Amino acid sequence: MSVRNTVKSIQDIMRQDSGVDGDAQRISQLCWMFFLKIIDDQDLELEAMQKDYRSPIPKKFQWRTWAADPEGITGEPLMAFVNDEIFPPLKELSGTAKDGRRRVVRDVFEDAYNYMKSGQLMRQVINKINSIDFNNLTERQHFGDIYEQILADPHPGEILLDPACGTGGFLTCAIRHMREHYVKKPADEQKMQKALRACEKKQLPHMLCVTNMLLHGIEDPSFVRHDNTLARPYI
């Protein structure tokens, strides 16, 4: 199964969990879980290549120890292990300035949080993640698509903001995507156009963006403001 299909199946599992609410939490949840799998795959490679290599993660918390067995820990014991045993020590993992990998682990978990409430569903997610070999070059190349796959799917009527839009590249891609997949009638087009927002500080890119919008069939490109998003605090 490709990384894209694996992520889609993981999303479907997470939607059944009462603790994971929305794409932002799904991405946050996926990040720390993927991180542990990826660093463990890399550790295995480094251990084979470097005689004295030691993983920055204590053995008890390494992915291979608690997650790799598809019939391994699940349910309430899994939730307790993740929340009470994995997170606290990794958030406070000690390390010297020279020990970059340990500091990376600590930094990743410093603000991470386990949103999932069901140990059975988490075990299903873990088993899906286990199907990916991050030492495989093809899987590595596809991994960068995950964030875009989850978030970059705007629909007509949803507010779409580019706070530093330049000449409008992101906007035109979003417009093209919505027209290809979701705009089926004139009302859809109107909803899409009314929900666009943008801001550009510099005069020339602003002018080019406005012109770009016209070229892409946007009737009223006045939503592209000639302004500085960071000039005032937004709530």
Side-chain angles (χ1 to χ4, degrees), residues 71-116:
E71 301 297 327
I73 184 173
T74 187
E76 287 302 318
L78 176 57
M79 285 292 95
F81 179 72
V82 169
N83 293 327
D84 302 335
E85 297 192 50
I86 289 183
F87 269 76
L90 294 188
K91 283 177 179 288
E92 300 177 1
L93 196 65
S94 61
T96 65
K98 294 181 179 179
D99 198 352
R101 284 174 73 83
R102 286 177 70 87
R103 286 189 290 108
V104 166
V105 174
R106 184 186 62 212
D107 290 347
V108 165
F109 277 86
E110 190 172 31
D111 295 317
Y113 183 76
N114 173 43
Y115 291 102
M116 296 191 75

Side-chain angles (χ1 to χ4, degrees), residues 147-186:
Y147 183 82
E148 287 80 3
Q149 180 179 338
I150 294 175
L151 282 189
D153 192 17
H155 290 68
E158 294 179 337
I159 299 294
L160 189 145
L161 165 68
D162 188 342
C165 64
T167 59
F170 169 76
L171 292 167
T172 57
C173 286
I175 290 166
R176 189 181 309 118
H177 174 82
M178 285 188 279
R179 283 175 175 160
E180 288 176 357
H181 296 280
Y182 306 116
V183 174
K184 307 299 182 184
K185 51 186 184 291

